[in-house]
Amino acid sequence: MDVTLATSLVKERLGIRTNVRDTYLTTITESVIKELEDEKGLVLDGANPYHLMFVVDYATWRYQSRDSDKAMPRHLQFRLHNLIIHTGGGGQ
């Protein structure tokens, strides 16, 4: 998974045009990828736009909800569930 591309797309989704938050956004993106691979058992394919956009949407939600205790939105839960089923993840 190309972290630079994913971070650029997160910035686009958030409407951020400067580089001031790049370190923070890159770290969030890397942590989302690591969580999906290590904790959820997914094998992410950087060439798959569905995988890429899930990482972008998940990282964007993480950034936007950093001071919130609300649960993950249902659309992300459904997409994560579908990724786990389709990629055979979660079987550790």
Side-chain angles (χ1 to χ4, degrees), residues 33-74:
I33 293 168
K34 188 82 170 148
E35 175 189 337
L36 293 172
E37 291 176 342
D38 292 354
E39 292 180 21
K40 307 298 184 196
L42 297 176
V43 178
L44 296 173
D45 176 5
N48 185 328
Y50 184 75
H51 291 193
L52 176 62
M53 285 311 299
F54 181 75
V55 168
V56 169
D57 292 343
Y58 194 8
T60 300
W61 172 72
R62 278 271 177 85
Y63 175 80
Q64 291 176 324
S65 66
R66 65 190 174 273
D67 296 326
S68 174
D69 59 354
K70 293 182 181 176
M72 180 189 293
R74 295 293 290 166

Side-chain angles (χ1 to χ4, degrees), residues 5 7-8 12 15 20 29 36 40 46 51 53 57 59 61-63 73 76-79 84-85 87 89 92:
L5 174 59
T7 302
S8 295
E12 286 293 327
V20 174
T29 304
L36 293 172
K40 307 298 184 196
H51 291 193
M53 285 311 299
D57 292 343
W61 172 72
R62 278 271 177 85
Y63 175 80
L76 287 176
Q77 290 176 6
F78 287 133
R79 289 167 63 196
I84 290 170
I85 289 171
T87 62
Q92 295 182 4

